Amino acid sequence: ASEGVSTQDIIALQKHILGIKPIQNPYQLLAADVDNSGSITALDLVLMRRLILGLDTRFKAVPSWRFVDAGYVFKTPRSPWKEAYATSVRLSNLAGRAKVRFVAVKMGDVE
């Protein structure tokens, strides 16, 4: 669960929380919310540190990955938690190929 999560992610999250360099990308914002609170706080930072230090083996409040429909355009990119974006697709009566595109978001990997 910690693959891809590094000290660089913690530094980026600290800069965001302190207002030094806010995260602008909605996918990175989703990745930073590892406590699933709908915002980015110091608790997210603590949970990321615990994962990197090996005190936790995974984030308990979120799956390791989230998926967002690649065609989705965030209406409020700085608050992506407040939107109901598609995280799955249902395919039925397939007769040939189907093309489905999602953006994979590794939780905690904000850099």
Side-chain angles (χ1 to χ4, degrees):
S2 66
E3 294 98 11
V5 183
S6 69
T7 304
Q8 288 180 323
D9 297 307
I10 288 177
I11 292 168
L13 195 57
Q14 284 175 324
K15 287 181 179 179
H16 174 81
I17 291 170
L18 295 172
I20 296 169
K21 187 179 177 189
I23 298 170
Q24 304 292 325
N25 182 301
Y27 301 110
Q28 289 173 314
L29 290 168
L30 287 172
D33 183 22
V34 297
D35 70 346
N36 205 28
S37 66
S39 64
I40 299 172
T41 66
L43 181 55
D44 296 303
L45 191 61
V46 168
L47 295 174
M48 287 174 64
R49 281 187 181 142
R50 289 184 57 83
L51 186 76
I52 290 170
L53 292 171
L55 300 173
D56 294 330
T57 58
R58 64 182 181 83
F59 297 122
K60 293 176 176 83
V62 294
S64 294
W65 292 88
R66 284 194 174 168
F67 298 91
V68 180
D69 181 339
Y72 185 77
V73 177
F74 288 95
K75 294 164 190 63
T76 55
R78 293 194 179 166
S79 298
W81 315 278
K82 297 178 181 177
E83 300 186 32
Y85 53 86
T87 60
S88 64
V89 65
R90 180 181 294 237
L91 301 173
S92 58
N93 300 325
L94 289 177
R97 295 183 190 197
K99 188 173 188 176
V100 180
R101 293 183 48 216
F102 282 89
V103 174
V105 177
K106 171 67 173 126
M107 297 308 292
D109 190 359
V110 299
E111 266 299 295

